[in-house]
Amino acid sequence: MWFMRQAGRILPEYRAIRQRLTLIEISKRPDVAVEVTLQPLRRMPLDAAILFADIMTPLLGAGVALDIVEGVGPVIESPVRDEAAVRSLRALEPERDVPYVLETLRVLRRELDPAQALIGFAGAPFTLAAYLVEGRPSRDFVHTKSLMYRAPATWHLLMDRLAELTVSYLRAQIAAGVDAVQLFDSWVGALSPDDYARYVQPYMRRIFTSLGPAGVPMIHFGVATSTLLGAMRTDGATVIGLDWRVPLDEGWARVGHGLAVQGNLDPVALFAPPNVLEAKTADILQRAGGRPGHIFNLGHGFLPGTPLENAIRLAEFVRDESTRFRADDPALAIFA
Ligand code: CP3
């Protein structure tokens, strides 16, 4: 069990640091980034820490002028909408361009308990492209999808560059000691299965094929992907993220039980009364059925305003229930 966006927004000790430093400043200071990454593990019985950075961090390192604006998200100074702009994106050399990320990971791996996993991450090419092309968060991705349809060669060049950047960034994170990596393809659910297959899937396959030999589990996360799961299962990831729109057992059946799944509590359930929160959580565990290969998580990250006490209640409930689940099953009792 871990939670997307477990660091930050829900923790007062994070907000106190954010009074003094911006998100980008925190990620460039390994001492502070390590502290912020560890904060949620002191509050909740989590099995993993996730690197504190942003999906835009490697683009910043590669020289893209951008800011992460509070309450808005990433904003790009000059949106990338033609071939010249794509050609001006340069490759990432992680040790030179984002040394602070690698240093943060090396310190974290030393400081964490060996039983706690360290998760590295990157934005997936479609989601990165959506920010680069739109220039800011978007609902309909009109510029992104019209680039895809109107100038497919430019689109493929952009995806090719972003896939290469992602592979070198994650390779460096693996070398720095992460135990698993997550590809955040938060906005890929905006695509039809046919568009996914044509414009995105070759690049996801390339990333998973390139990183596979490193031997760390690879989590492919997206939102609103129920119609894409059949395609995602063949792309080479070890774990598929499910959001709350698909019941966990149905999603897992679509992914196939040969792969692990992660999810899938609605982040809004944390605003519900305790009995509703617990019933929804118990339902997910029931649907997972004690089968190995379920990583409990939210279907997407914690939302702003999530009450911290509910997050703590949730984590403790999942820990207690899953211990009980394993204890009930003699085959799994050794994990209890
Ligand atoms: O705890 C963690 O999950 C680790 C750190 C983390 C951040 N961003 C820090 C952050 C991770 C894994 C991300 C990934 C990320 N960033 C994604 C993929 C996950 C998702 O939610 O789909 C995306 C789409 C982004 C881009 C981004 N950065 C958005 C949309 C925002 C929200 C803007 C806002 O203020 O609501 C950000 C800012 C951001 N990244 C915050 C944090 C903790 C917000 C708080 C702050 O400004 O301090």
Side-chain angles (χ1 to χ4, degrees):
M1 163 176 57
W2 65 284
F3 298 127
M4 288 182 275
R5 294 294 178 88
Q6 64 190 23
R9 58 178 49 138
I10 65 167
L11 298 174
E13 55 272 34
Y14 170 79
R15 287 199 296 269
I17 292 175
R18 275 285 278 115
Q19 298 282 305
R20 296 187 283 114
L21 299 170
T22 66
L23 181 70
I24 292 171
E25 287 166 342
I26 295 173
S27 53
K28 288 187 173 173
R29 290 207 16 200
D31 56 333
V32 188
V34 165
E35 165 61 20
V36 166
T37 303
L38 295 176
Q39 282 174 345
L41 283 83
R42 298 190 194 113
R43 293 280 200 163
M44 298 176 267
L46 301 165
D47 298 313
I50 179 159
L51 167 71
F52 191 86
D54 194 81
I55 58 168
M56 305 310 284
T57 301
L59 293 173
L60 206 56
V64 176
L66 68 93
D67 195 9
I68 297 175
V69 180
E70 193 164 358
V72 178
V75 178
I76 314 292
E77 204 176 277
S78 313
V80 173
R81 295 187 186 161
D82 57 27
E83 190 186 326
V86 173
R87 291 202 181 277
S88 73
L89 293 172
R90 65 170 172 79
L92 183 78
E93 280 186 42
E95 293 286 353
R96 178 194 66 196
D97 298 328
V98 285
Y100 41 87
V101 169
L102 306 178
E103 179 59 12
T104 299
L105 291 172
R106 288 189 281 260
V107 177
L108 279 167
R109 195 48 283 176
R110 281 201 300 273
E111 294 206 357
L112 284 164
D113 184 297
Q116 290 170 322
L118 176 59
I119 302 174
F121 75 91
F126 177 79
T127 292
L128 293 179
Y131 284 113
L132 285 173
V133 177
E134 300 296 327
R136 52 191 301 116
S138 165
R139 181 190 294 264
D140 298 314
F141 305 102
V142 171
H143 294 292
T144 311
K145 289 162 97 174
S146 53
L147 177 68
M148 211 181 246
Y149 300 142
R150 131 180 93 74
T154 303
W155 173 261
H156 285 293
L157 187 65
L158 174 60
M159 294 301 276
D160 176 75
R161 300 235 164 156
L162 293 173
E164 288 310 307
L165 174 134
T166 303
V167 168
S168 44
Y169 187 48
L170 290 176
R171 265 205 188 117
Q173 292 187 38
I174 294 167
V178 302
D179 302 292
V181 294
Q182 174 154 319
L183 269 300
F184 279 98
D185 214 350
S186 306
W187 313 134
V188 74
L191 297 179
S192 68
D194 184 54
D195 285 350
Y196 179 75
R198 196 185 299 253
Y199 299 109
V200 175
Q201 190 169 38
Y203 305 97
M204 296 312 296
R205 289 185 167 172
R206 194 201 298 174
I207 291 169
F208 292 125
T209 306
S210 306
L211 298 175
V216 305
M218 301 177 289
I219 309 166
H220 188 185
F221 165 77
V223 177
T225 53
S226 22
T227 59
L228 302 181
L229 294 174
M232 288 165 69
R233 72 182 284 180
T234 65
D235 290 349
T238 326
V239 184
I240 304 291
L242 301 174
D243 84 356
W244 64 92
R245 292 171 181 88
V246 60
L248 187 114
D249 49 347
E250 260 182 65
W252 206 345
R254 261 179 246 175
V255 163
H257 293 124
L259 295 186
V261 291
Q262 173 174 281
N264 69 341
L265 183 72
D266 184 347
V268 178
L270 286 140
F271 294 80
N275 60 320
V276 177
L277 173 60
E278 289 189 0
K280 285 183 172 298
T281 307
D283 178 65
I284 290 168
L285 296 175
Q286 197 63 46
R287 289 175 190 276
R291 193 181 276 119
H294 172 222
I295 301 171
F296 189 91
N297 204 319
L298 307 177
H300 200 173
F302 282 126
L303 294 166
T306 299
L308 174 58
E309 65 273 20
N310 291 356
I312 296 171
R313 183 193 305 273
L314 168 64
E316 291 177 348
F317 181 78
V318 172
R319 177 202 52 198
D320 295 347
E321 286 297 298
S322 44
T323 309
R324 201 168 57 76
F325 233 108
R326 295 191 195 109
D328 287 349
D329 181 344
L332 295 170
I334 51 163
F335 297 110

